[in-house]
């Protein structure tokens, strides 16, 4: 599944994430963790190139699903990530 599909599933299963809150990354991490505890055989397909571009030092507009990759990498959730390109 893609990062956007994961975000959609999390929002349906556990409620929408309010990205305007300062601590939204903690909430997002908790909901990602809950999803993978219930679905350990799933993986999220993430693009190495897209992830690098978000952190290349230039200003970017982040979509809500970009935060999926950022939180999963920061929290070392590597067993649930399938990197491409």
């Amino acid at each position: 599944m893609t990062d956007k599909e994961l975000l959609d599933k999390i929002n349906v299963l556990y409620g929408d994430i309010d990205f305007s809150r300062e601590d939204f990354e903690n909430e997002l991490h908790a909901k990602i963790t809950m999803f993978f505890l219930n679905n350990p055989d799933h993986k999220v397909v993430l693009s190495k190139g897209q992830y690098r571009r978000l952190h290349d030092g230039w200003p970017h507009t982040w979509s809500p699903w970009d935060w999926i990759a950022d939180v999963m990498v920061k929290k070392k959730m590597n067993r649930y990530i399938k990197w491409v390109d």
Side-chain angles (χ1 to χ4, degrees):
M1 90 178 74
T2 65
D3 45 3
K4 185 174 184 335
E5 291 169 336
L6 176 60
L7 182 62
D8 291 342
K9 286 184 182 200
I10 287 172
N11 285 336
V12 168
L13 293 170
Y14 309 113
D16 289 343
I17 296 167
D18 182 3
F19 286 94
S20 65
R21 288 185 17 197
E22 193 165 312
D23 66 339
F24 78 89
E25 287 186 53
N26 292 331
E27 178 185 3
L28 182 58
H29 177 245
K31 290 180 178 183
I32 292 170
T33 301
M34 285 190 295
F35 177 83
F36 284 114
L37 287 174
N38 294 325
N39 304 283
D41 56 326
H42 285 69
K43 292 214 182 251
V44 177
V45 176
L46 299 176
S47 166
K48 290 179 185 177
Q50 182 178 347
Y51 182 76
R52 275 191 225 116
R53 277 191 296 281
L54 290 171
H55 293 281
D56 65 4
W58 294 93
H60 296 283
T61 302
W62 284 47
S63 60
W65 53 88
D66 289 333
W67 288 104
I68 294 281
D70 202 54
V71 167
M72 290 184 76
V73 170
K74 282 182 185 175
K75 300 295 185 176
K76 298 178 176 57
M77 302 179 82
N78 298 325
R79 69 177 160 226
Y80 303 118
I81 298 173
K82 178 180 178 186
W83 289 104
V84 294
D85 67 49

